[in-house]
Amino acid sequence: MKILLTGGAGYIGSHTAVELAAAGYEVVIADNFSNSSPKVLERLEMITGKRFGLYEIDVADKTALKKVFEENKIDAVIHFAGYKSVPESVKVPLSYYRNNIDTTLSLLEVMGEYGCNNIVFSSSATVYGTKAPYPYKEDMETGNCSNPYGWTKLFIERIITDYAAAKEGFSAVLLRYFNPVGAHESGLIGEDPRDIPNNLMPYISRVAVGKLPYLNVYGNDYPTKDGTGVRDYIHVTDLAKGHAAALDFAEKHSGVEIFNLGAGKGISVLEMVNAYSKACGHDIPYKIAPRRDGDLAEFYADASKANVILGWKAEHSVDDMCRDSWNWQSKNPKGYNE
Ligand code: WQD
């Protein structure tokens, strides 16, 4: 089976490529490297011993995308390609709607032209919006997204759902990620945000390796266990394995199925800071800062559906997440820009 990963050189995509190769799939990557590095391909070969097909293209470019399907019999697609910065999406909403939706429309149109009827989509817990009670369940109301990035994910879920309803035999799995963190155990691939990280874990890892002076803890007056924000962190390798399970499910079913991919429990910012200190062997300096606009106090997944139907659940602990993040960051202090 040959699988196309759009955005496959990215953080989640590259870790998924490792797990798909291990599961015996042939993997082709389409990526424009707008938020990833070509270096990832050689790291993937070092980990898997396999050379992955690569097309350096904008997935929204149908002519370029058709070439991928002309030259490869693609059995299924995992669609990662898309912009994903929450604060950037607030600043430049039109580029987020243009890019994230155009890539999806082009992909679905080309899949249709080449008879490819299986897709796994990289969605996000942000689609539950700001009013959903936690733990989040897949059949809950969605909407009230707090930023354009989250709306693009929800709109794409709708587009795929409507397309599946119109296309006999089409199979779609929508994966709602919680907070992916950590890195492959080899330390050869990991999270490498372009600029100053928005997300907690890559920010902590850069403080730990000395690239940033201290962490700003955005608020310690939330109604949570220790006053700091609580999230459902999931090891990126567990998330990647969830994609392999979703792919297998998609190939055996038709219609649309939604799954939360989370660990099913909440960890606070300060708990993560303490776990990271243990992993790296020194303190992580931090300062309490004002709350960040748009942040929720707490949310985490009800991950039982993926366990019951896909036979998947997150196995790694918070200590594993910090250990593997530190292993990656300490071996690659400048990320892929060595
Ligand atoms: C986690 C907690 C912050 C940075 C976002 C997207 C979501 C997904 C994951 C793509 C919060 C606190 C953070 C910092 C801090 N991305 N924090 N200091 O906001 O839960 O989710 O990333 O799919 O779609 O919305 O993740 O890592 O930014 O924040 O105190 O420097 O860490 O307040 O409580 P978030 P995050």
Side-chain angles (χ1 to χ4, degrees), residues 125-323:
T126 34
V127 304
Y128 290 107
T130 56
K131 306 222 183 324
Y134 53 86
Y136 293 164
K137 282 185 72 65
E138 291 87 349
D139 59 1
M140 273 181 174
E141 281 284 294
T142 53
N144 301 302
C145 299
S146 57
N147 55 75
Y149 159 79
W151 282 113
T152 67
K153 290 297 186 182
L154 189 57
F155 293 163
I156 293 167
E157 286 194 2
R158 180 77 263 158
I159 290 166
I160 292 173
T161 301
D162 288 345
Y163 179 67
K167 180 88 177 169
E168 181 69 29
F170 194 79
S171 177
V173 175
L174 311 178
L175 298 179
R176 291 175 180 169
Y177 303 168
F178 283 71
N179 291 56
V181 295
H184 185 262
E185 60 188 3
S186 65
L188 288 168
I189 55 175
E191 189 170 13
D192 185 25
R194 276 250 176 285
D195 311 308
I196 304 280
N198 302 307
N199 295 142
L200 178 68
M201 198 62 148
Y203 203 106
I204 289 177
S205 66
R206 289 201 189 165
V207 171
V209 80
K211 291 290 172 203
L212 290 168
Y214 60 87
L215 169 75
N216 287 298
V217 175
Y218 294 138
N220 67 345
D221 57 351
Y222 284 107
T224 60
K225 58 180 105 171
D226 61 14
T228 63
V230 172
R231 294 291 184 274
D232 182 332
Y233 297 98
I234 175 171
H235 194 290
V236 65
T237 294
D238 285 328
L239 191 68
K241 290 178 190 290
H243 286 71
L247 197 55
D248 184 54
F249 177 89
E251 286 152 8
K252 293 170 181 161
H253 294 80
S254 65
V256 181
E257 204 63 63
I258 300 173
F259 295 100
N260 288 334
L261 292 189
K265 64 179 182 193
I267 300 292
S268 77
V269 174
L270 289 181
E271 284 174 327
M272 190 60 89
V273 168
N274 293 334
Y276 214 100
S277 298
K278 236 168 52 184
C280 69
H282 57 260
D283 284 346
I284 302 286
Y286 66 85
K287 292 180 179 171
I288 302 298
R291 293 181 177 189
R292 182 172 64 175
D293 284 351
D295 271 352
L296 300 177
E298 180 165 358
F299 64 84
Y300 52 88
D302 174 329
S304 55
K305 182 179 175 187
N307 188 223
V308 170
I309 296 182
L310 300 179
W312 170 93
K313 72 180 172 69
E315 307 283 352
H316 287 75
S317 67
V318 176
D319 289 339
D320 295 336
M321 298 172 200
C322 294
R323 178 201 62 216

